[in-house]
Amino acid sequence: MSANSETAPPRRRWLAFLPLAVFAVVAALLFVRLYAGDPAKLPSALIGQSAPPLTLAGLDGAAGLTDADLRHGHVSVINVFGSWCEPCHQEHPVLMALAADDALKQKGVVLYGVAQKDSSGNVRRFLGADGDPYAKVGFDSDGRAGIDWGVYGVPETFIVRGDGTIAYKVVGPLTAETLESEVKPQIFKAMESPRS
C-alpha cells in the first residue's frame, strides 16, 4: 500500500464532517437570531400612514367605532383585546390607569377598544367584572379590521394622531412600566408631531 492511499482516508473523513459542521454553524446563527431583540417591537408598515377604515358595531347597541372617532383632532389610543385573552386580563389595570389619567384627559386623549373575535356577552362580563376603560368598544367579529391594521395577536395597542395617522404600536400587554416609559411619551409625541 502506498503512502498516498494511507493519507486519503483521513481527508475523506474530514470531508464527511463538513456538512455537519456547516449545519451546526447555521443552526447556531439561527438560534442566536431567534432570541435577539424584543419580540414586542415588531415593525409596522402602518406607522406614519393613515389608519385603515373602521366601521365596527358597538356593545349592546351603543355607538360603534368609526373613522370619524380617529380623526377628531385629539390623540386616540386603540387597544385590540379579547375577553378570552389572558394577557388582556393582565394589562387591564394598566388600561384603567391610562383612562383615568387626568393629564391625558385634559389633552383630549381617548381610549377605544376593539374586541377581536369576541362576543358581546363575554366582553360585557369582562368589562363588568374589571371595569370599562374604553370610551367606545368596536367589535371585530371576523378579524377583518385586525388584518387591515396588521394585528399579529392580542393585545396590541395603537397610538393614532388627531388626523387619523398611526403614530406608534405596542405588541403585547401593557405594563405599568411600559405605560410610563413608552406609551405616555409616545402619546405626547403624537400630540406634537405633524403628519409624516
Side-chain angles (χ1 to χ4, degrees):
M1 204 177 223
S2 71
N4 286 343
S5 63
E6 290 176 8
T7 58
R11 284 186 196 156
R12 285 189 199 133
R13 281 191 213 132
W14 180 82
L15 290 174
F17 287 108
L18 183 61
L20 183 60
V22 169
F23 174 77
V25 168
V26 170
L29 287 172
L30 291 174
F31 183 78
V32 167
R33 291 299 302 154
L34 180 65
Y35 293 100
D38 183 357
K41 298 202 183 277
L42 294 170
S44 174
L46 296 177
I47 302 297
Q49 303 296 319
S50 185
L54 279 179
T55 307
L56 301 177
L59 181 61
D60 296 332
L65 191 58
T66 67
D67 291 332
D69 294 313
L70 306 182
R71 290 167 172 79
H72 58 76
H74 300 286
V75 171
S76 302
V77 178
I78 291 77
N79 177 253
V80 183
F81 73 99
S83 65
W84 44 267
C85 158
E86 186 57 36
C88 298
H89 286 266
Q90 293 168 1
E91 84 168 349
H92 199 76
V94 177
L95 295 172
M96 293 296 290
L98 175 64
D101 188 300
D102 287 332
L104 295 177
K105 282 184 191 176
Q106 289 174 3
K107 298 283 187 179
V109 175
V110 181
L111 175 62
Y112 297 114
V114 174
Q116 182 90 29
K117 298 182 180 179
D118 216 331
S119 72
S120 60
N122 288 341
V123 170
R124 193 181 325 103
R125 280 188 291 280
F126 171 52
L127 298 177
D130 297 334
D132 186 354
Y134 306 113
K136 287 185 179 180
V137 174
F139 280 88
D140 185 17
S141 302
D142 60 2
R144 183 70 221 169
I147 292 169
D148 293 343
W149 280 65
V151 173
Y152 295 98
V154 295
E156 289 191 17
T157 304
F158 295 84
I159 297 170
V160 180
R161 295 185 190 116
D163 65 355
T165 303
I166 297 176
Y168 197 73
K169 176 181 177 179
V170 179
V171 177
L174 300 179
T175 64
E177 180 183 331
T178 58
L179 179 62
E180 295 302 325
S181 67
E182 191 174 341
V183 175
K184 285 184 181 179
Q186 289 297 331
I187 289 172
F188 286 110
K189 184 178 175 183
M191 289 178 192
E192 299 165 2
S193 298
R195 184 177 171 142
S196 300

